Amino acid sequence: MKLRPAALLSALCLLLAPLPAAARGELQAGPTLLEIAPGASATRLRLGNSGDSVVSAQVRVYAWSQKDGEDTLAPSDHVVASPPIAQIEPGGEQVVRIVLAGPPASGSDLSFRVVVDELPAEDAAGESAVKVRMRYLIPAFVRAPGAGEPVLNCSLTAGGTRLACRNDGQRAARLGATALVDGTGQAVNLSEGLFGYVLPGSTRHWDLPKAPAARADGALKLDTQLNGQAATVVVHPRP
């Protein structure tokens, strides 16, 4: 499963817009970031139903990697959900355990995505709807003991219209509100909220809305929120 950049920006908001449906259950999932700590075997995902009808949900876990600058999800049994299917009563809550079934992380954190789908309810005629009503994509990490912080190296490619960032650290880099600032102080705002992740030992690409106005002196920088903290990353222009 490959997530294209435009699709990923929507996915990283963690919640896709609900599709029209007759069912009145409203699925909620949290927290928005899951972590299995060093030495731990599981963490908890909470599913809630704020509607007035029973809602059913399916929980799946995918290995998350970045190849050719894009996010890719692949089936995995290294981390599993228990139970994988849940029914939540109106106003109720269901705890789903996200369980480490494979070897623990060593050196670098392991990256996964937990995908929560609200399953279609049967209509009055007893026929199931075709489309899933709600979907959450939640980052999940198996933490490695002593893993080092993210180390980002960023550059512009494709004539200044693509940003490439590599993370040589051992933990994922979560980029929040982000702007690309050139040597004259002019900024290209890339995101008001979550911009994306760069996984350990991986490179992530983003196509820019426009190239910065000035970059001849190489004084470009990325002003961002890195794992919740304000940070500035030098950006090196490339042909």
Side-chain angles (χ1 to χ4, degrees):
M1 181 189 299
K2 183 170 288 188
L3 300 180
R4 297 293 178 183
L8 180 67
L9 290 178
S10 298
L12 287 174
C13 292
L14 304 178
L15 178 60
L16 299 183
L19 297 169
R24 298 166 68 185
E26 295 184 14
L27 178 66
Q28 298 173 333
T32 57
L33 174 66
L34 296 167
E35 300 176 284
I36 299 179
S41 59
T43 189
R44 292 184 174 186
L45 170 70
R46 287 180 172 82
L47 304 180
N49 179 4
S50 60
D52 55 12
S53 297
V54 175
V55 66
S56 297
Q58 181 180 44
V59 183
R60 292 169 290 177
V61 184
Y62 292 88
W64 178 17
S65 62
Q66 290 174 331
K67 298 178 181 178
D68 299 324
E70 296 184 356
D71 289 86
T72 299
L73 303 182
S76 173
D77 57 5
H78 199 122
V79 174
V80 298
S82 178
I85 300 288
Q87 281 195 334
I88 307 106
E89 297 293 329
E93 184 179 274
Q94 170 75 52
V95 173
V96 176
R97 295 179 74 242
I98 305 301
V99 181
L100 177 62
S106 177
S108 295
D109 292 349
L110 300 177
S111 306
F112 299 87
R113 284 276 188 178
V114 176
V115 180
V116 183
D117 285 323
E118 181 177 354
L119 299 177
E122 292 189 350
D123 61 20
E127 296 180 356
S128 294
V130 174
K131 295 182 178 179
V132 170
R133 297 186 62 235
M134 195 77 75
R135 168 171 286 181
Y136 293 82
L137 285 84
I138 303 175
F141 299 101
V142 179
R143 297 302 189 187
E149 294 299 319
V151 178
L152 285 183
N153 293 285
C154 298
S155 61
L156 285 184
T157 64
T161 60
R162 177 174 294 173
L163 175 68
C165 289
R166 178 169 178 79
N167 180 4
D168 291 314
Q170 297 169 317
R171 290 205 162 183
R174 179 186 185 273
L175 302 182
T178 299
L180 185 62
V181 184
D182 68 17
T184 70
Q186 294 180 323
V188 176
N189 289 322
L190 304 180
S191 175
E192 297 294 335
L194 180 64
F195 186 49
Y197 283 82
V198 189
L199 300 182
S202 302
T203 300
R204 180 75 169 85
H205 293 166
W206 290 271
D207 290 327
L208 304 182
K210 62 179 180 179
R215 57 181 185 274
D217 60 0
L220 286 166
K221 62 180 181 178
L222 203 65
D223 283 345
T224 188
Q225 292 287 319
L226 175 57
N227 290 347
Q229 301 295 321
T232 298
V233 181
V234 174
V235 178
H236 303 282
R238 292 184 180 177

